[in-house]
Amino acid sequence: MKSGLVSRWAIAWSLIAVVAFGIGIIARMSHGDVSSHPEELDRMEYQVAPFSQKQFELYAEGVGDLGTKQALKDADIVVRVKKEGVSTYRYKAFTAPVRVVEVLRGDAQLQDLMIDVYEPVSLNEWDGVKTLFTADAYQFGSTPMRENEEYVLFLNRAPSNRVVGDAWTIAVSPYAKMPADGDPVCIVHAGVEANMILRDLSEADLIAESDADAEAYLAGSKDVLESFAIE
């Protein structure tokens, strides 16, 4: 009798696990489909905290290795890249295919190679409405990379495993991803948090909280690029 009860519980838990696994696969597939439909992405809201110089200074000081200045200093590589191809959504982030145009610091063997870079943007859905959320570096107002544009990236190698593969992540700093031409396009949007249609940000590199914050970001990005002799 006891063994029969145990068997029924085992079967019940197995069914629950199968159903949960199936739901997970379906959710991943439905989210992954957005990679093939850029027009759907364009209509989604992009939720981000606009860049604030005051908030950046608080983060920049940080605690130990949590500050953004330290994040730039500790990045595994600094590279100039060109995004070539459409980003794909996998494992709760968008993976951008980029070609390494120039290695500014780090492994010179990456020169001219294609690498995958995880952009810290995730896709969430509530009541049938899909919204793009930012994390890490992009919490400072950054927008996703655009195709055929060149950027300077501060990157760390992602933990290697069968799921992630060989990929890179962007360091946690508003200056970890900047347009390589040294001329970021800033949009001003006052408020702690901005919900903007991604299509309306197609030409923007950064969302700032005020004109003064935008000017502070531009001055900072210029300093960072000049430190690598990039014009």
Side-chain angles (χ1 to χ4, degrees):
M1 183 71 176
K2 187 175 182 179
S3 60
L5 180 61
V6 171
S7 297
R8 286 195 294 273
W9 272 110
I11 293 172
W13 280 111
S14 296
L15 289 173
I16 292 172
V18 169
V19 171
F21 179 77
I23 291 173
I25 291 296
I26 292 171
R28 178 173 293 179
M29 289 175 63
S30 64
H31 283 179
D33 286 344
V34 301
S35 304
S36 304
H37 299 283
E39 71 284 354
E40 181 182 350
L41 273 176
D42 285 346
R43 294 193 297 267
M44 288 186 192
E45 286 193 343
Y46 183 75
Q47 187 177 95
V48 62
F51 176 84
S52 160
Q53 178 65 11
K54 181 179 179 180
Q55 288 299 317
F56 167 66
E57 289 175 353
L58 293 175
Y59 279 106
E61 294 301 322
V63 179
D65 61 354
L66 297 181
T68 66
K69 291 179 181 178
Q70 193 67 36
L72 295 179
K73 180 180 178 181
D74 293 343
D76 292 340
I77 59 171
V78 182
V79 289
R80 181 173 182 160
V81 305
K82 182 177 182 179
K83 184 181 178 186
E84 297 184 358
V86 178
S87 296
T88 58
Y89 188 73
R90 57 176 182 172
Y91 315 119
K92 296 189 177 182
F94 282 86
T95 309
V98 303
R99 182 175 299 280
V100 178
V101 177
E102 182 180 4
V103 178
L104 302 170
R105 187 180 78 205
D107 187 357
Q109 294 183 4
L110 293 172
Q111 185 83 30
D112 298 322
L113 295 183
M114 291 294 297
I115 62 174
D116 288 331
V117 174
Y118 277 101
E119 296 195 76
V121 179
S122 63
L123 176 61
N124 290 281
E125 183 174 351
W126 286 283
D127 295 328
V129 178
K130 294 178 181 178
T131 305
L132 300 171
F133 285 82
T134 59
D136 297 336
Y138 284 12
Q139 286 181 339
F140 296 95
S142 288
T143 59
M145 289 187 282
R146 301 184 294 275
E147 280 192 66
N148 300 316
E149 294 290 334
E150 291 192 4
Y151 299 90
V152 172
L153 303 179
F154 289 73
L155 301 175
N156 295 306
R157 188 177 288 280
S160 181
N161 56 54
R162 289 184 300 174
V163 174
V164 174
D166 186 17
W168 299 81
T169 59
I170 299 175
V172 184
S173 169
Y175 300 111
K177 184 222 76 180
M178 295 178 290
D181 63 7
D183 189 23
V185 176
C186 297
I187 289 179
V188 174
H189 188 289
V192 176
E193 195 174 79
N195 272 44
M196 306 178 75
I197 303 301
L198 191 61
R199 179 180 55 244
D200 297 336
L201 302 173
S202 60
E203 300 299 323
D205 297 299
L206 185 91
I207 304 166
E209 192 169 324
S210 68
D211 289 332
D213 290 315
E215 291 175 6
Y217 172 81
L218 293 173
S221 63
K222 182 179 179 181
D223 289 342
V224 173
L225 291 175
E226 286 182 348
S227 71
F228 287 94
I230 299 172
E231 297 181 355

